[in-house]
Amino acid sequence: QVQLVESGGKLVQAGGSLRLSCAASGRTFTSLAMGWFRQAPGKEREFVAAISWSGGRIYYADSVKGRFTISRDNAKNTVYLQMNSLKPEDTAVYYCASSADIRSSWSSTSDYHYWGQGTQVTVSS
């Protein structure tokens, strides 16, 4: 009932910046929170950042705090992930996700009900 499409991923140099977008459609009003997750080759999907519907609650993984910023524009049904000071270890497929009910943790993949197809971010040295 909620469709998510990520965009903006590309090859960037270490230390550079990149902004990812997640366009949502469908029953977006049911979304309590939106999150960004990433998955590198050979690794499990991990939490990056999350934001509540109003934007009043924001959470970041320790690995990206101080460098990444999550925001949302509800009028455009879009969530953004501004990534600064990128490192090679940030290389991964980044996924946007929507949650209607956070039961365990804002960082738990199991609490997100809809997922985008992912967008590749590659950070070169």
Side-chain angles (χ1 to χ4, degrees), residues 56 91 111:
T91 296
D111 279 342

Side-chain angles (χ1 to χ4, degrees), residues 28 31-34 51-55 70-74 78-80:
T28 57
S31 179
L32 171 66
M34 298 292 293
I51 185 170
S52 63
W53 185 89
S54 66
I70 187 171
S71 62
R72 68 190 303 168
D73 185 339
N74 290 344
T78 302
V79 178
Y80 305 95

Side-chain angles (χ1 to χ4, degrees), residues 14-96:
S17 298
L18 187 65
R19 189 177 79 161
L20 305 182
S21 298
C22 174
S25 61
R27 300 180 65 188
T28 57
F29 65 90
T30 64
S31 179
L32 171 66
M34 298 292 293
W36 285 98
F37 294 77
R38 66 187 183 186
Q39 187 166 23
K43 296 184 178 180
E44 295 185 352
R45 190 167 300 184
E46 66 176 353
F47 170 75
V48 175
I51 185 170
S52 63
W53 185 89
S54 66
R57 294 186 178 185
I58 296 176
Y59 304 89
Y60 296 102
D62 288 343
S63 60
V64 306
K65 64 180 181 181
R67 299 188 298 120
F68 291 10
T69 302
I70 187 171
S71 62
R72 68 190 303 168
D73 185 339
N74 290 344
K76 296 182 178 180
N77 293 318
T78 302
V79 178
Y80 305 95
L81 183 67
Q82 177 66 47
M83 305 185 294
N84 299 325
S85 301
L86 284 164
K87 304 175 181 179
E89 52 262 45
D90 294 320
T91 296
V93 176
Y94 283 70
Y95 296 90
C96 177

